[in-house]
Amino acid sequence: MSGRRRADRDGDQRGSVVVEFALVVPLVVLIVVGVIQYGYHYWAMQTASATAREAARRLIVGTDPVCTVAEARARASGPAVGSSVPTVVYAYDNAGNTAERGVLVTVTVTIQSLDVGLVPLPSGGLVTQTASNRVENVPIDPLLCE
């Protein structure tokens, strides 16, 4: 009779493993998806920050703003960064919004990060990064982008 009880106990353990597996797998999948989702969001934050800094650096030495913005938009549109076309806005801190030596230039880059949809993101996944620098050079003719 003890052999029969042992067989019943083994059967119960096998069933419990299936139940435990069914309970744990959704949690593990959710954690993996969350790590991937927040990885994409962090990547978008870093890309927007680096793009804003680089655009501000170019503007303070007198690079043409039109091609600087176009180049920044192209860099922020890289693979796996965002789900829409990024916006790049620059402004000079004076009444005429023009480049003058010593004036502060601020560049703002906004990206909608990729959204897997299972995990909520801060601000709905909208990433906005800003960089500011003082204008050092105002050439007669703006420097062309390379």
Side-chain angles (χ1 to χ4, degrees), residues 36-123:
I36 291 170
Q37 177 67 56
Y38 281 101
Y40 277 131
H41 189 68
Y42 184 73
W43 178 260
M45 286 174 46
Q46 292 301 312
T47 300
S49 179
T51 301
R53 282 192 313 269
E54 181 62 26
R57 272 191 221 110
R58 289 177 176 275
L59 289 173
I60 67 170
V61 296
T63 305
D64 182 24
V66 174
C67 68
T68 298
V69 168
E71 189 173 307
R73 192 172 291 131
R75 286 180 185 216
S77 297
V81 174
S83 58
S84 64
V85 177
T87 59
V88 179
V89 179
Y90 70 95
Y92 294 99
D93 190 22
N94 61 6
N97 196 25
T98 57
E100 295 175 11
R101 235 175 149 186
V103 170
L104 192 67
V105 63
T106 302
V107 178
T108 303
V109 177
T110 305
I111 299 173
Q112 177 65 44
S113 68
L114 293 175
D115 190 0
V116 176
L118 295 176
V119 181
L121 288 172
S123 303

